[in-house]
Amino acid sequence: MLGMEMVLHRAHTRGAFENEWLSTSYSFSFADWHDPKRMGFGALRVINDDSLAPASGFGMHPHRDMEIITIVTSGTLTHKDDMGNTGTVPAGEFQVMSAGTGVVHSEYNDSPDTSLTLFQIWITSARSGIEPRYAQKPIGLRDPASPGIIPLVVPDGTPQGLPIYQDAYISRLVIDEDHPFTYTLRSPNNGLYIFVVEGALMAAGESLERRDALGVWDADAVDLTAHGSAIALLIEVPMA
């Protein structure tokens, strides 16, 4: 095993876009924001931190051979796609769409007076030409502030979470000073991208604040601690 490798992405270095209905920050190159050093982290291609104004959203648009995960943090998302799926995803739930051979969908904030906030995450699929599929579920929080880890996304055929066609895992971690956590990677070929949603924590000796991120690879495990309480998304993906 080689020595641990890391890349640090501070919140203020993310790309940004804003118009009359959308305010967003890009962790990786997206749309008109391009940074050749920020093209992704292994199979992780997109983390967009979106806020949608009332009565607005993304109209029907296509995707192909991509795993698209949407985690709603406030408000309610209205989803529609050409597979026949229509419905809402409220805060505390998430959706997973395997685009496969091609899917067209829209994501809207139908509320007339409440903003919608969400994380949109794209992971490249390990299989091309598959039949598209869609699923959603509650995150499963008993107490949103209770320390612990909850699996959200897992490889196809793995119990717990919603499946994607990639050897990738997304988990939600709540950590505090009394509950340090060690994340053990499933494969030496994988890396871990730690994205701080709220609060502050220490990961692999680096101090991370709200919306900071740290990518780690060539490691068996990563130690995390916190002063106070913090929430993070832990995204494990193949690096090749």
Side-chain angles (χ1 to χ4, degrees):
M1 177 68 69
L2 298 174
M4 180 184 291
E5 299 284 346
M6 296 188 294
V7 60
L8 178 62
H9 292 154
R10 294 294 183 194
H12 72 271
T13 68
R14 296 180 296 170
F17 173 81
E18 188 163 354
N19 62 17
E20 64 277 6
W21 63 272
L22 174 65
S23 177
T24 185
S25 295
Y26 307 133
S27 291
F28 304 107
S29 295
F30 192 86
D32 291 333
W33 184 70
H34 181 79
D35 182 340
K37 296 181 180 179
R38 299 275 284 266
M39 298 305 296
F41 178 79
L44 175 61
R45 181 61 188 84
V46 167
I47 302 179
N48 289 352
D49 185 357
D50 293 340
S51 178
L52 282 70
S56 70
F58 303 100
M60 296 295 281
H61 60 282
H63 294 281
R64 184 183 178 91
D65 290 331
M66 191 69 70
E67 308 293 330
I68 300 167
I69 300 98
T70 305
I71 302 171
V72 179
T73 52
S74 69
T76 299
L77 173 72
T78 298
H79 170 89
K80 182 178 181 180
D81 63 48
D82 63 356
M83 294 181 282
N85 300 298
T86 356
T88 58
V89 186
E93 295 195 14
F94 68 106
Q95 65 177 18
V96 173
M97 187 170 62
S98 295
T101 53
V103 65
V104 179
H105 74 125
S106 65
E107 309 292 346
Y108 260 85
N109 178 12
D110 282 336
S111 171
D113 51 19
T114 302
S115 293
L116 166 67
T117 61
L118 55 87
F119 292 111
Q120 182 182 169
I121 299 169
W122 296 8
I123 294 174
T124 57
S125 180
R127 294 173 58 188
S128 60
I130 58 171
E131 183 178 351
R133 68 181 180 187
Y134 172 88
Q136 74 178 73
K137 68 179 294 187
I139 290 175
L141 301 173
R142 293 178 296 279
D143 176 358
S146 178
I149 189 166
I150 296 174
L152 304 181
V153 172
V154 295
D156 193 49
T158 305
Q160 299 186 315
L162 290 179
I164 62 172
Y165 294 108
Q166 182 57 274
D167 182 27
Y169 303 78
I170 301 177
S171 304
R172 180 189 186 272
L173 175 70
V174 176
I175 185 172
D176 64 25
E177 55 194 13
D178 297 321
H179 298 85
F181 183 79
T182 297
Y183 186 97
T184 302
L185 281 85
R186 277 87 164 175
S187 167
N189 299 318
N190 289 355
L192 179 67
Y193 198 77
I194 303 155
F195 183 90
V196 181
V197 177
E198 298 292 346
L201 56 81
M202 292 284 294
E206 290 286 348
S207 178
L208 305 177
E209 305 288 333
R210 182 180 187 271
R211 294 327 201 240
D212 287 346
L214 181 71
V216 177
W217 67 100
D218 286 341
D220 296 315
V222 181
D223 294 326
L224 299 102
T225 59
H227 297 293
S229 180
I231 302 171
L233 292 175
L234 307 182
I235 306 173
E236 179 180 345
V237 292
M239 295 303 292

